[in-house]
Amino acid sequence: MKLKLVFLSILLTGIAWIGSVSSASEQTSVIPAVSERKVVLQRVYLDGEMSEETRTESILAMKDFWAEYAGWQLVDQNNEKITLKKNESDISPLLKSNGFFGVSEDGIFSIFNGKPEEQKIIQSFFHIDIEQLEVKKQEELVQGIPILDKNQYEKVLEAYKSYSLPNDKK
């Protein structure tokens, strides 16, 4: 009788163990696979500069991924990488830290990376009639007008647009 009870106990333990193994394998089959992809985020600023950030994302569901990046435009997608782009309504960090308005040697109103004397042009706009400018404004352009923020960027650009040569007005 004792032998029958031991055998029955072992048998029931084995059946319970087999049931738990099949139950665990069933559970793992319903867990979604995690997909890792490189995500490249391109930000395009008002001044034409573009920054790029690369990160690795673990994606459980593409629906959740697209919800997280709402407002971004798909540029390219494959099994390894997703490239997204967003137009920012601001000037670039480069301009905020080291951007100056000025005039190039050939008289074009431009943005420089650093003081205009270094002639590292980031963006050119239009020819400017230097002769029409007051001496103070001429000096400002030679020295360089630091770009502090989007508001100031737009105001300076608009102010100097009125001094552009007629065939360059846009």
Side-chain angles (χ1 to χ4, degrees), residues 111-147:
I111 293 177
F112 297 85
N113 182 7
K115 298 275 188 166
E117 64 202 27
E118 297 170 22
Q119 291 296 309
K120 294 179 186 173
I121 296 174
I122 296 174
Q123 187 177 15
S124 297
F125 295 100
F126 41 80
H127 279 90
I128 195 163
D129 188 354
I130 301 285
E131 313 292 305
Q132 275 191 338
L133 294 174
E134 307 165 7
V135 173
K136 182 182 177 195
K137 287 192 183 260
Q138 289 178 15
E139 289 172 4
E140 279 181 344
L141 286 178
V142 169
Q143 294 298 313
I145 303 167
I147 302 170

Side-chain angles (χ1 to χ4, degrees), residues 39-43 45 50-54 81 83-84:
V39 177
V40 179
L41 302 174
Q42 299 174 337
R43 289 179 175 87
Y45 297 92
M50 182 175 78
S51 69
E52 205 170 85
E53 174 188 351
T54 302
K81 180 172 78 171
T83 304
L84 303 171

Side-chain angles (χ1 to χ4, degrees), residues 1-20:
M1 183 76 164
K2 272 185 168 180
L3 189 58
K4 284 184 179 181
L5 282 174
V6 169
F7 178 72
L8 188 58
S9 174
I10 292 172
L11 184 62
L12 289 174
T13 304
I15 291 171
W17 181 78
I18 290 171
S20 70

Side-chain angles (χ1 to χ4, degrees), residues 8-115:
L8 188 58
S9 174
I10 292 172
L11 184 62
L12 289 174
T13 304
I15 291 171
W17 181 78
I18 290 171
S20 70
V21 168
S22 67
S23 170
S25 68
E26 288 171 15
Q27 287 177 352
T28 56
S29 66
V30 295
I31 295 173
V34 175
S35 172
E36 279 205 352
R37 293 213 187 143
K38 273 187 180 177
V39 177
V40 179
L41 302 174
Q42 299 174 337
R43 289 179 175 87
V44 181
Y45 297 92
L46 290 174
D47 52 274
E49 285 294 307
M50 182 175 78
S51 69
E52 205 170 85
E53 174 188 351
T54 302
R55 56 173 73 167
T56 302
E57 293 276 356
S58 297
I59 302 170
L60 291 173
M62 288 307 287
K63 179 181 173 186
D64 295 336
F65 174 82
W66 292 120
E68 185 178 339
Y69 290 100
W72 290 81
Q73 177 185 4
L74 178 65
V75 174
D76 189 31
Q77 177 181 3
N78 59 40
N79 290 335
E80 290 87 33
K81 180 172 78 171
I82 299 172
T83 304
L84 303 171
K85 181 173 89 173
K86 187 177 192 180
N87 292 321
E88 297 288 342
S89 180
D90 198 3
I91 60 173
S92 66
L94 172 67
L95 284 194
K96 289 178 182 177
S97 67
N98 204 34
F100 288 83
F101 281 109
V103 66
S104 67
E105 291 175 348
D106 53 353
I108 298 176
F109 186 72
S110 303
I111 293 177
F112 297 85
N113 182 7
K115 298 275 188 166

